[in-house]
Amino acid sequence: MKNNLEIDYILLLCKKLNNKNKLSWVMESRVKKAMKVFGENEKAKLVVSGGNYFIDPKNDIPTEAAAVEDYILENYKVDESRIVLEEKSSTTVENLVSFKEDFMNVKKKSSIVLVTDEFHMPSAFLVARYVMGENVRIDKAVAKVNLSGNIMNY
């Protein structure tokens, strides 16, 4: 993913937490891919996008984005100031709309790297292309997973 083109944002689409409020193996593979791209693009901000599915404000379940940020900070050496959370959304469409509203300057040409897994990318990219419009270059960073639940190292 390292190239001569400057990347403004790396958008990591989160996935629902498991029943122990931890990252699933699929989400861990997405994080691994995002951190590879993040390490190769020192000016880019990492936007971790994902709220939670539960409406009850009294619950103590972390948002997907907060759980991923905790995981990143525990497992990677990173500049925390380059990570921002988008915690309002609970679907892919909401992730992308919130990201555009909160982070993108629609008058400026921008570039993002969209990070998700190989099963989610086709639909996520289609929605991203529609939501972001023509002023945004969207690159893909695809986390490879297999059905047995193991991260594939490509």
Side-chain angles (χ1 to χ4, degrees), residues 62-113:
T63 63
E64 295 165 2
V68 168
E69 181 186 42
D70 289 346
Y71 180 86
I72 289 170
L73 296 176
E74 288 172 15
N75 293 284
Y76 295 89
K77 281 189 166 188
V78 296
D79 176 358
E80 198 173 341
S81 69
R82 290 179 52 214
I83 300 174
V84 280
L85 305 183
E86 182 288 301
E87 300 178 280
K88 299 181 289 188
S89 60
S90 60
T91 68
T92 302
V93 173
E94 289 174 1
N95 290 140
L96 294 159
V97 169
S98 291
F99 170 75
K100 182 178 180 181
E101 290 173 352
D102 295 348
F103 299 101
M104 301 300 293
N105 178 346
V106 293
K107 295 178 182 163
K108 175 186 170 248
K109 284 219 176 255
S110 301
S111 62
I112 66 171
V113 176

